[in-house]
Amino acid sequence: MISKMQEILLISENNVRANTNISSNVQSKYLISTIREAQLDLEEILGSRLYNKIIKLVKYDLIDDERFVSYKSLLDRCQLYLSYNTLTKLIVVSNFHIDNFGVSQSKDDNLENVNLSDTFKLEAYYQNKVDEFTKRIQEYLLANHKEYKELCKAELDEIHSNLYSAAS
């Protein structure tokens, strides 16, 4: 967990790399921006109140306090989701860049880039994993909702209705 000024990341770059096949050569600026995006998606799954509770616990270094063991457990369950969602978003971001000349594709003399079709196939492959992790989080929240006072009936109903329709 990394804190940078007011920015709170719920997963570190190192944990994302350890959980996925992201190279250590990937620049932090790309990884951090896609972690941020993945966290926005996580907020949609957890609901703003529960998500913000976890953010506050991490921000104030309380997440490991025994009083908040259920929140720590939930955050631990979210690590693979955050890792693979970050990876999925990174696939396109790391292959294409926008500059003054428009959109360009990264090339290296020692590497052969995959074509656009293969890029999207790989993205879809990892998105399926993200969808599975989303489902696991949703099922966990439904089974353990009494542990999280931040989850109101409307949020539980939404989780239940979205359980098998994780957005891809």
Side-chain angles (χ1 to χ4, degrees):
M1 279 63 82
I2 299 174
S3 173
K4 181 180 177 184
M5 288 199 253
Q6 289 300 326
E7 176 180 58
I8 304 297
L9 298 181
L10 298 177
I11 191 167
S12 69
E13 291 178 62
N14 288 338
N15 283 347
V16 172
R17 291 179 205 279
N19 290 334
T20 66
N21 63 349
I22 295 175
S23 165
S24 60
N25 293 335
V26 172
Q27 293 180 23
S28 287
K29 70 179 183 178
Y30 299 123
L31 200 48
I32 296 294
S33 70
T34 52
I35 289 172
R36 284 187 201 118
E37 287 183 54
Q39 284 190 196
L40 291 174
D41 293 344
L42 182 62
E43 183 177 5
E44 291 294 316
I45 296 169
L46 301 179
S48 293
R49 291 174 5 135
L50 181 53
Y51 175 82
N52 288 330
K53 173 73 173 191
I54 292 172
I55 289 289
K56 285 178 185 174
L57 291 173
V58 171
K59 179 179 180 178
Y60 296 112
D61 292 322
L62 295 171
I63 195 71
D64 292 319
D65 187 303
E66 66 185 37
R67 295 174 295 163
F68 305 111
V69 67
S70 61
Y71 296 95
K72 172 66 171 159
S73 177
L74 176 58
L75 180 57
D76 289 345
R77 289 178 178 279
C78 293
Q79 295 301 291
L80 287 175
Y81 169 84
L82 288 168
S83 295
Y84 280 93
N85 198 350
T86 298
L87 172 60
T88 301
K89 293 173 182 319
L90 188 62
I91 289 169
V92 173
V93 170
S94 64
N95 276 295
F96 301 95
H97 305 279
I98 301 171
D99 56 28
N100 293 339
F101 303 106
V103 178
S104 59
Q105 186 173 10
S106 300
K107 300 259 185 211
D108 188 323
D109 293 337
N110 300 321
L111 297 174
E112 182 179 334
N113 285 41
V114 297
N115 62 42
L116 187 58
S117 174
D118 288 340
T119 298
F120 289 131
K121 285 179 187 173
L122 184 62
E123 182 184 37
Y125 170 79
Y126 284 116
Q127 184 61 53
N128 285 335
K129 289 186 175 293
V130 171
D131 291 346
E132 179 58 32
F133 293 128
T134 299
K135 178 183 166 202
R136 289 180 189 178
I137 293 168
Q138 291 170 325
E139 289 173 336
Y140 175 81
L141 288 173
L142 289 173
N144 298 282
H145 67 275
K146 291 181 181 176
E147 297 287 326
Y148 307 103
K149 64 183 180 192
E150 297 78 12
L151 288 175
C152 64
K153 181 175 177 356
E155 288 168 324
L156 289 170
D157 290 344
E158 186 174 345
I159 290 170
H160 190 267
S161 68
N162 292 330
L163 184 58
Y164 294 104
S165 64
S168 296

